[in-house]
Amino acid sequence: MSEPRTDAKICGMGHSMKRKEDPRFIRGQGRYVDDFTLPGMLYMDIVRSPHAHAKIKKINTEKALKIPGVLAVIDGPTLAKYKLHWMPTISADTQMVLPIDEVMYQAQEVCAVIATERYIAADGVDAVEVEYEPLPVMVDPHKSLAPGAPVLRKDKEGKKDNLAFHWQAGDKAGAERALAASDVVASENVYLPRIHVASMETCGCIADFDTAQGKLTVYMTTQAPHAVRTVLALVAGHVGLSEERIRVVSPDIGGGFGGKVPVYPGYVIAIAASVVIGKPVKWIEDRMENLQADSFARDYHMKVELGAKKDGTMTSLKIKTVADHGYANASANPSKFPAGLFSICTGSYDLKHAFCEVDAAYTHKPPGGVAYRCSFRVTEAVHAIERATDALAQKLNMDPAELRMKNFIKPEQFPYKSVLGWEYDSGNYGVALKKAMGIIGYDALRKEQAEKRKKGELMGIGISSFTEIVGAGPSRDFDILGIKMFDSAEIRVHPTGKAIARFGTKSQGQGHETTYAQIVAEELGIPAAHVQVEEGDTDTAPYGLGTYASRSTPTSGAACALAARKIRDKAKKIAAHLLEVSEQDLEWEPGKFFVKGAPQMAKTIQECAFAAYTNHPQGMEAGLEAVHYYDPPNLTFPFGSYICVVDIDRGTGDVKVRRFVAVDDCGNIINPMIVEGQIHGGLTQGIGPALYEEISYDDEGNISGGSFLDYYVPTALETPHWETDKTVTPSPHHPFGAKGVGESATVGAPPAIANAVVDALRHLGVTHLDIPITPEKVWQILKKKGVAE
Ligand code: CDP
């Protein structure tokens, strides 16, 4: 048996930790894909390109195939025989599974080795020799979109440029006129760099094709098992994989954050290998492959202009964006919204004029655009407006809290139709900001800041009053690859009054098992401990679009309540039958029906359930179960106000988050502890991009940040003490008034931190800093301004 490989996979990145010894790989006791073993299982590992753009002259597999235990090497031409070398992306673009003759980004899959053991497959990968002829590389999206730039996607017939798509919203001429008529215009170039979701568990799968039954089971790390099954059936129907013969099982997932929505080539190659070989094939990405090849987010270059009258009344917003999507547009965006929900960029403010546009560019980078813990580009939109609001306050010499208060959409304006087309369901922004200001002691902090400034000390206070947009979607507007966005719940109450509830969503650690059981308990009075919750198995769960974009509570949570209410309606009929009264005579209190005015005459839900199988009224169907497919009438609009206080070290440029207060509003809350956990995690994933995380490329397309030695995700040491609180503004259209919350903090935190740092430096003439705000970046400014120690 060969030793585990510990070298860098590509480009000699320093990497000396054995995977299993890396403390970051500690996992829970759950059933993760990597814990699964099937009899006769084979292992797959992938050869990846060291070049960002190159011709493949030759793949020499001779040495690899001589290694005992290496069974096969699968390359592009092999897949081409089955027409499986290309696949659609979930944004309806196309992407290579394995190349025939050209690689388009560093770490792209070149071929795959199948072996009897995991580390033999890795040895096989090392033994494959690939001859490349390097070709010119394009990494700058602006140059890529410039007239005359060489066309990257030559596979697309007739394509004459590198524009992946253009999208816009709003009235351009109106917004420009209003900007020209404004007394003051704040204008900033705001870049949100490419970052990675860096979830604890990497991607992976076991594809198990049962030749006797002709059935494929794929255990995989996916946030959207049903959608994946449908896409697989559409892509591989011609080789006999029709939908009823595909089962996708998504077991426990160690973090998804949007990165496990797309289908990556590794999944498809493992499936093809299993179908061809007739044995289960396991593929688990290692950490560096994960960081180098998939799950990239952001990469938005935005020019933001925000106009106002002298008194601070906002007049107009215009944002022009160049988005770097890498080699393919593989982000999971609803068809009608290729730039996601970016048009929420007017934020919490009552703007009468706005326009935004996005030009998406192809470059020689891995496919990007993953909605990393955000509802399809909302993080980018919120960063733009919240940064611009602070820049405007600075220009107006106005307190940023006062400017926000002046421009907030007022409570009486809800439901509020935004100038870019959204109908905000409910909100009360001023109350949330006042609460945050009260908790942090805003006025005293401003005084402290003024005192410190006199002494040359650098302290800043940053606010972000954001509006989210989650719960896609109303199916009239939202679909992914034509599949309408709704979600589902199926509840079956057993004769003894216990229940099983299944959903079209799929938790990746958000605690659905707890909160869905609570919804059933609330609606039916069956104790939560008696409700078994299941998700993620397409053979048993009702069809749904999955979990991302904080959509589970607004969609499947609603479906759960409505399915439970159908059950309650039937149980009422049964109770009336058992009590020999009319249904109109019955009243409900959680857990039982009783006769109005005679509370001793009652039947519990458990008694009704037993009767549904043993003594139901004649003419009524037996059993007690219901399914509901919920098509939300609108999205939900959670919001929050965050305030951050930072101190800057003049000797090192280091930014220390001294305090951070987060007041969130997600409507009615199902489980306060889970919501608090969601916010704590989200805030930490907010400080990461704000201060530490960035993936950049050199001119040759070589990645920086391809391992955790270079890509700094915050640990407990960097994470400050979060102070959280809430306001409650229920959604008027959700069955129990809830809004989503999973992503609010990731969206709201970065601008609060960036605003705080700029606020600390504003007296030095600094108006903007791109994130991540590293000590080096700050120190260079301090040096230039002559205040570095
Ligand atoms: O789609 P995802 O589960 O990521 O996001 P979510 O719907 O915002 O829910 C995240 C977790 O918070 C789930 O366990 C929800 O049930 C819970 N939650 C809650 O308890 N109350 C709310 N108003 C919203 C979410």
Side-chain angles (χ1 to χ4, degrees):
M1 157 112 177
S2 50
E3 282 296 302
R5 197 182 55 175
T6 57
D7 59 316
K9 200 151 218 188
I10 58 168
C11 31
M13 304 273 187
H15 177 69
S16 58
M17 282 181 286
K18 288 184 184 171
R19 277 177 285 191
K20 294 289 177 189
E21 289 169 7
D22 182 344
R24 290 174 207 244
F25 281 88
I26 293 166
R27 296 207 173 105
Q29 297 304 307
R31 299 259 295 166
Y32 296 90
V33 172
D34 202 9
D35 299 331
F36 279 57
T37 309
L38 299 178
M41 192 168 79
L42 304 175
Y43 296 82
M44 182 178 102
D45 201 353
I46 293 174
V47 175
R48 293 177 183 272
S49 168
H51 299 282
H53 187 205
K55 244 196 167 31
I56 299 173
K57 290 174 74 184
K58 195 172 173 200
I59 300 178
N60 191 342
T61 59
E62 216 174 296
K63 278 190 200 155
L65 288 170
K66 278 189 186 147
I67 297 173
V70 169
L71 304 179
V73 178
I74 298 176
D75 58 11
T78 320
L79 290 186
K81 283 189 216 152
Y82 305 93
K83 293 198 172 63
L84 288 175
H85 57 309
W86 282 88
M87 64 178 184
T89 71
I90 38 187
S91 293
D93 198 350
T94 50
Q95 179 180 358
M96 282 182 232
V97 178
L98 286 175
I100 299 292
D101 57 6
E102 197 173 322
V103 283
M104 299 291 281
Y105 56 90
Q106 190 177 67
Q108 185 181 339
E109 298 77 359
V110 173
C111 60
V113 175
I114 312 292
T116 50
E117 303 234 0
R118 187 172 188 156
Y119 298 114
I120 296 180
D123 287 345
V125 163
D126 284 346
V128 170
E129 289 163 352
V130 186
E131 281 178 42
Y132 299 96
E133 180 190 320
L135 295 170
V137 174
M138 172 74 74
V139 286
D140 181 336
H142 297 97
K143 286 185 186 155
S144 167
L145 290 179
V151 178
L152 271 62
R153 294 295 305 263
K154 289 195 249 8
D155 55 288
K156 290 174 183 280
E157 228 182 285
K159 186 93 184 122
K160 293 199 168 58
D161 55 29
N162 295 316
L163 187 70
F165 65 81
H166 171 85
W167 173 86
Q168 64 182 56
D171 169 12
K172 187 174 185 182
E176 282 173 350
R177 264 197 310 274
L179 273 180
S182 301
D183 296 328
V184 179
V185 176
S187 174
E188 296 292 346
N189 288 315
V190 179
Y191 175 52
L192 252 68
R194 182 172 271 235
I195 55 170
H196 197 280
V197 307
S199 50
M200 288 276 279
E201 185 192 21
T202 61
C203 295
C205 70
I206 301 171
D208 180 15
F209 185 68
D210 181 332
T211 43
Q213 290 190 39
K215 183 164 180 175
L216 172 74
T217 303
V218 193
Y219 305 92
M220 68 188 282
T221 49
T222 176
Q223 298 175 233
H226 287 277
V228 167
R229 185 189 65 183
T230 303
V231 173
L232 281 178
L234 294 173
V235 173
H238 64 282
V239 293
L241 289 179
S242 72
E243 199 162 5
E244 82 286 7
R245 291 183 179 276
I246 304 172
R247 177 181 172 208
V248 175
V249 183
S250 184
D252 286 349
I253 297 185
F257 311 118
K260 287 172 183 156
V261 179
V263 172
Y264 298 113
Y267 297 127
V268 181
I269 309 166
I271 290 167
S274 179
V275 172
V276 171
I277 300 169
K279 293 210 170 189
V281 175
K282 182 173 188 171
W283 165 67
I284 302 288
E285 253 180 356
D286 68 24
R287 175 60 59 194
M288 291 173 67
E289 289 179 288
N290 180 252
L291 280 172
Q292 290 167 1
D294 57 43
S295 307
F296 294 104
R298 322 283 195 245
D299 227 343
Y300 254 37
H301 302 254
M302 301 177 282
K303 170 150 185 142
V304 191
E305 292 167 274
L306 180 61
K309 293 186 195 162
K310 271 195 206 104
D311 68 355
T313 307
M314 290 180 187
T315 47
S316 181
L317 172 72
K318 187 178 162 211
I319 306 181
K320 184 168 173 53
T321 300
V322 168
D324 188 342
H325 275 253
Y327 145 76
N329 179 17
S331 50
N333 280 318
S335 310
K336 213 169 152 181
F337 304 97
L341 307 184
F342 188 70
S343 50
I344 194 68
C345 58
T346 52
S348 308
Y349 311 110
D350 187 15
L351 272 149
K352 300 283 183 280
H353 300 279
F355 174 74
C356 61
E357 63 183 325
V358 177
D359 284 321
Y362 289 125
T363 56
H364 286 122
K365 296 176 191 162
V370 155
Y372 170 14
R373 206 166 178 176
C374 87
S375 191
F376 317 112
R377 301 291 189 188
V378 175
T379 315
E380 290 85 333
V382 165
H383 203 86
I385 184 70
E386 287 304 301
R387 242 333 358 266
T389 300
D390 261 41
L392 183 64
Q394 197 170 338
K395 273 214 145 175
L396 288 162
N397 204 15
M398 198 169 170
D399 184 280
E402 191 191 336
L403 180 65
R404 284 177 170 83
M405 288 291 190
K406 189 174 182 71
N407 289 284
F408 278 153
I409 301 159
K410 306 281 174 295
E412 60 277 12
Q413 287 177 278
F414 291 92
Y416 172 82
K417 189 98 185 172
S418 86
V419 69
L420 294 180
W422 301 110
E423 187 175 296
Y424 294 28
D425 57 350
S426 62
N428 201 341
Y429 304 142
V431 170
L433 179 53
K434 264 195 204 129
K435 192 164 194 176
M437 288 168 76
I439 295 168
I440 209 154
Y442 188 78
D443 295 338
L445 283 169
R446 283 284 173 214
K447 283 192 192 117
E448 182 191 340
Q449 184 188 35
E451 288 305 313
K452 289 210 155 136
R453 217 165 253 176
K454 281 186 214 151
K455 290 188 251 160
E457 290 175 37
L458 300 173
M459 167 194 166
I461 306 157
I463 303 175
S464 155
S465 286
F466 63 93
T467 290
E468 261 260 73
I469 169 170
V470 304
S475 68
R476 62 177 183 273
D477 289 329
F478 287 84
D479 72 85
I480 287 191
L481 283 181
I483 308 168
K484 297 285 188 188
M485 295 189 81
F486 53 82
D487 233 294
S488 58
E490 182 190 278
I491 307 172
R492 184 174 302 161
V493 185
H494 307 312
T496 56
K498 315 290 189 293
I500 182 161
R502 293 181 168 125
F503 300 88
T505 48
K506 173 62 207 159
S507 177
Q508 309 115 46
Q510 295 93 326
H512 291 180
E513 295 81 356
T514 307
T515 49
Y516 286 156
Q518 280 185 263
I519 299 171
V520 176
E522 180 74 22
E523 297 287 340
L524 285 179
I526 296 174
H530 293 171
V531 183
Q532 185 189 344
V533 171
E534 280 185 13
E535 299 176 294
D537 184 339
T538 57
D539 265 9
T540 53
Y543 202 98
L545 270 284
T547 290
Y548 38 87
S550 301
R551 65 186 297 279
S552 302
T553 306
T555 59
S556 269
C560 181
L562 296 182
R565 288 175 198 176
K566 285 181 187 168
I567 288 174
R568 204 162 72 196
D569 288 347
K570 183 170 179 183
K572 190 174 190 185
K573 289 188 176 27
I574 297 172
H577 161 73
L578 296 175
L579 292 164
E580 297 180 356
V581 295
S582 111
E583 268 187 74
Q584 287 72 42
D585 296 331
L586 289 179
E587 277 194 15
W588 167 257
E589 70 170 45
K592 68 177 180 198
F593 291 100
F594 62 93
V595 177
K596 280 178 209 163
Q600 74 286 2
M601 287 181 69
K603 287 291 166 194
T604 64
I605 190 78
Q606 288 79 6
E607 288 170 311
C608 296
F610 197 67
Y613 296 89
T614 60
N615 179 21
H616 55 288
Q618 284 305 299
M620 177 188 271
E621 268 184 60
L624 195 57
E625 61 186 71
V627 58
H628 194 92
Y629 288 83
Y630 183 74
D631 188 357
N634 189 6
L635 294 125
T636 66
F637 294 74
F639 60 92
S641 268
Y642 293 174
I643 306 183
C644 169
V645 184
V646 298
D647 295 303
I648 296 176
D649 184 327
R650 279 170 45 204
T652 62
D654 189 44
V655 173
K656 185 173 166 29
V657 175
R658 189 204 309 173
R659 285 188 71 191
F660 196 107
V661 169
V663 173
D664 271 278
D665 193 319
C666 60
N668 288 331
I669 289 175
I670 305 162
N671 186 314
M673 271 167 68
I674 285 191
V675 166
E676 203 185 340
Q678 290 290 303
I679 290 165
H680 276 232
L683 290 170
T684 304
Q685 286 183 309
I687 196 176
L691 297 180
Y692 312 112
E693 298 170 17
E694 173 166 26
I695 286 182
S696 58
Y697 294 81
D698 68 14
D699 290 346
E700 298 303 311
N702 294 308
I703 189 173
S704 73
S707 83
F708 278 150
L709 293 176
D710 308 296
Y711 189 68
Y712 306 120
V713 293
T715 67
L717 278 181
E718 291 81 22
T719 305
H721 171 72
W722 307 116
E723 299 169 60
T724 58
D725 210 319
K726 64 172 189 296
T727 58
V728 176
T729 313
S731 166
H733 62 79
H734 186 276
F736 52 91
K739 302 179 179 185
V741 76
E743 292 155 343
S744 293
T746 329
V747 165
I753 298 167
N755 285 345
V757 179
V758 175
D759 183 60
L761 304 174
R762 105 184 116 94
H763 60 294
L764 304 173
V766 175
T767 60
H768 174 70
L769 277 171
D770 279 332
I771 60 171
I773 304 174
T774 56
E776 160 79 11
K777 218 180 249 182
V778 176
W779 192 79
Q780 289 296 353
I781 291 170
L782 300 182
K783 202 173 135 208
K784 207 165 128 195
K785 305 282 179 188
V787 293
E789 266 176 358

